Amino acid sequence: MQDYLTYSVYGSAILLMLIGLYAALVKKNLIKIVIGLSILDAGIHLLFVAVGYLNNATAPIFSETVLDKNVVMADPVPQALVLTAIVIGFGVTAVALALVVRLYRKHNTTNIDEIKNLKW
Amino acid sequence: MKKLIVITLLLILGFYLMSTFISVPFGAERIAGVKDYYLKQSPETLKVSNVVTAIVVSFRGFDTLGEVTVLFLASTALGSILYRRRTHHSGLNPQREAVVSSTLVRTGAKVLFPMIILLGAYVFVHGHLTPGGGFQGGAIIATGFLLILISYRKFFINHNVLTWVEALAGTTFVLIGIGGFIFANQNNFLENFLPEGTLNNLISGGVVGIIYIAVGFKVGAEITGILDTLLTIKEAGLNPDEN
Amino acid sequence: MGIGSIIFLIGALIFILVAAIYAVIQKDLIHAVIATSLISLALSLVFYILQAPDVALTEAAIGIALSTIIFIITIRNTKRYESE
């Protein structure tokens, strides 16, 4: 049972990362590339949170009921990392999309093959 | 051909990632010293119930300061990338005013807007007790402003106010951090120098709650600024000749 | 973790993968963006099951609402369909 869960959770997180990377590497449309990068972000967040989970753990928040007993808590460090990574990811996506809009204004296309100025 | 190469490379990458992470079984108990330290110190010395908040604001507060700065840089870069000289500074574009949303949307937005702002404020004020905090509360507040922005086309956000809110919140963060140098026991940056209070009360945790409220204001102002900048380019896109 | 949570977790993970593949192969970019928003929705539920409520709240606020809306604004300013 445990092996099964290990493979399925980590496997789907890594598969999500690979799907995002595939879109970012193969697709020609600029917005599709940004979508791929945000899927890659989602996979990394899932992987980090899954590494921090412990069996029969509670959320790392103390309250009156949790305080006295000797409870197992999930690892809070990856959660704090992912919390900041999501907000940074939003900023990165916003800047990338602004660059897409700027390129569209200049070249009137979102296909990277038609933007010839990048070649030399 | 290119797709084949990419898929092969990705499969190799996936195999190595999987074989690395398989050595850390999902959910099994493992030795993690820093986790035990944080889980012990957070309720005992810092008196913060939510350990994630304690890590984000206190133990790794310097990271958060850098992160808020990155968000500020993103919002500034967005403004400079999409810069376009405005013809008038009132922010009211005739093309934008011409599109009117339906009465249902406008009335619903008017009813929902105060509640969304209240929820956001609740989330970041109680950041050290319940799940939530400055980042989540700021994002919720920005969602409320987004609702108003897309339902009332004439609504106009004053960017000077946003800049001042952001600057004041950032200054509060840094000043509290410097206060740790002067008043705290061990003279560290961002160290707690206020009385801790009792665990699970609203007024507890010393400077943690105050810093997270400042972060909430800052994140809310920054994301609202990003959304407003992106929304005002819409009418500019309608006439592509003007570059 | 109870058996109900495990079934829900596996279902949400399958949903995430299907939505990700749909988002990558779809030619209509608006549909692809809605699929990314659904990924975020299922992901925030998975975070809640994995005992990370803080992360779930952040993902819900930013991934579902704000990220989707900036993609849609960009698509309105550029082209809606992906051309080969």
Side-chain angles (χ1 to χ4, degrees):
Chain A
M1 193 65 197
Q2 202 57 50
D3 282 349
Y4 175 64
L5 261 183
T6 305
Y7 277 107
S8 61
V9 176
Y10 289 166
S12 54
I14 289 170
L15 211 57
L16 201 58
M17 286 166 63
L18 296 186
I19 290 170
L21 259 180
Y22 173 80
L25 287 174
V26 169
K27 290 287 170 176
K28 297 277 191 284
N29 189 302
L30 282 167
I31 295 176
K32 240 351 174 357
I33 292 175
V34 182
I35 288 178
L37 290 180
S38 82
I39 294 176
L40 172 63
D41 251 7
I44 294 172
H45 300 158
L46 179 55
L47 190 60
F48 266 47
V49 173
V51 168
Y53 179 79
L54 297 177
N55 276 333
N56 304 316
T58 63
I61 295 170
F62 290 94
S63 61
E64 278 103 4
T65 49
V66 180
L67 195 55
D68 303 329
K69 298 173 214 157
N70 202 4
V71 287
V72 183
M73 283 192 174
D75 196 343
V77 182
Q79 297 189 12
L81 276 176
V82 171
L83 180 67
T84 55
I86 289 174
V87 182
I88 292 293
F90 174 74
V92 170
T93 311
V95 173
L97 288 175
L99 286 172
V100 171
V101 171
R102 186 75 191 202
L103 277 171
Y104 183 78
R105 269 190 209 160
K106 179 90 177 159
H107 299 279
N108 218 3
T109 178
T110 49
N111 191 332
I112 48 171
D113 278 353
E114 292 172 25
I115 301 175
K116 298 281 197 313
N117 293 12
L118 294 175
K119 292 180 183 165
W120 49 281
Chain B
M1 188 59 205
K2 187 188 165 192
K3 282 184 187 176
L4 210 65
I5 297 173
V6 167
I7 288 175
T8 320
L9 284 176
L10 288 181
L11 283 180
I12 295 170
L13 178 67
F15 173 74
Y16 279 107
L17 276 175
M18 196 67 201
S19 57
T20 310
F21 276 94
I22 213 73
S23 61
V24 189
F26 177 74
E29 186 60 53
R30 62 188 74 101
I31 300 160
V34 68
K35 170 202 149 198
D36 295 336
Y37 179 79
Y38 287 158
L39 284 177
K40 191 167 172 295
Q41 291 292 311
S42 173
E44 282 177 9
T45 49
L46 213 57
K47 305 280 185 199
V48 176
S49 312
N50 188 344
V51 185
V52 179
T53 298
I55 292 174
V56 168
V57 178
S58 186
F59 295 117
R60 292 170 184 233
F62 200 60
D63 281 1
T64 307
L65 186 58
E67 191 211 349
V68 174
T69 313
V70 168
L71 209 58
F72 168 72
L73 276 179
S75 123
T76 314
L78 202 74
S80 68
I81 289 169
L82 296 172
Y83 175 74
R84 181 190 288 262
R85 194 171 285 116
R86 291 191 182 166
T87 44
H88 43 66
H89 285 276
S90 64
L92 298 177
N93 192 307
Q95 273 171 326
R96 195 173 174 199
E97 275 184 69
V99 193
V100 181
S101 5
S102 77
T103 317
L104 270 176
V105 173
R106 277 180 290 154
T107 315
K110 203 188 284 178
V111 173
L112 278 176
F113 177 67
M115 298 185 197
I116 294 176
I117 298 295
L118 186 66
L119 174 68
Y122 176 85
V123 165
F124 70 64
V125 167
H126 290 77
H128 52 296
L129 302 177
T130 52
F135 294 108
Q136 294 91 330
I140 291 171
I141 285 178
T143 319
F145 275 106
L146 172 71
L147 184 64
I148 283 291
L149 274 173
I150 58 178
S151 45
Y152 287 87
R153 302 304 175 113
K154 288 183 189 172
F155 189 80
F156 160 65
I157 288 177
N158 191 345
H159 273 264
N160 285 333
V161 176
L162 284 184
T163 315
W164 275 103
V165 169
E166 217 177 292
L168 280 179
T171 317
T172 314
F173 195 155
V174 176
L175 281 183
I176 289 175
I178 292 175
F181 273 135
I182 302 167
F183 303 112
N185 293 331
Q186 283 154 343
N187 295 345
N188 287 325
F189 189 65
L190 283 171
E191 197 186 338
N192 183 26
F193 58 88
L194 292 176
E196 283 93 359
T198 46
L199 194 65
N200 277 319
N201 277 12
L202 179 58
I203 301 180
S204 66
V207 296
V208 171
I210 301 170
I211 290 177
Y212 232 12
I213 289 173
V215 170
F217 274 106
K218 199 164 163 59
V219 171
E222 276 157 359
I223 297 185
T224 310
I226 288 178
L227 289 173
D228 190 50
T229 317
L230 276 170
L231 272 170
T232 44
I233 60 168
K234 200 181 94 233
E235 59 269 4
L238 290 177
N239 40 352
D241 333 317
E242 172 221 349
N243 205 351
Chain C
M1 200 187 265
I3 191 76
S5 304
I6 291 177
I7 292 170
F8 190 89
L9 180 66
I10 303 290
L13 290 175
I14 292 170
F15 181 86
I16 288 173
L17 289 178
V18 172
I21 292 170
Y22 181 79
V24 172
I25 61 175
Q26 175 61 253
K27 292 273 183 275
D28 189 343
L29 290 172
I30 295 274
H31 290 201
V33 169
I34 299 297
T36 6
S37 169
L38 289 178
I39 295 176
S40 285
L41 175 65
L43 203 59
S44 75
L45 294 174
V46 168
F47 287 153
Y48 180 71
I49 290 181
L50 294 181
Q51 304 294 347
D54 285 276
V55 187
L57 206 53
T58 318
E59 183 74 38
I62 287 180
I64 299 175
L66 296 174
S67 195
T68 312
I69 207 80
I70 61 170
F71 271 112
I72 287 178
I73 294 169
T74 314
I75 291 170
R76 279 193 69 161
N77 281 315
T78 57
K79 287 195 177 112
R80 178 168 171 177
Y81 292 96
E82 179 188 5
S83 57
E84 273 305 299

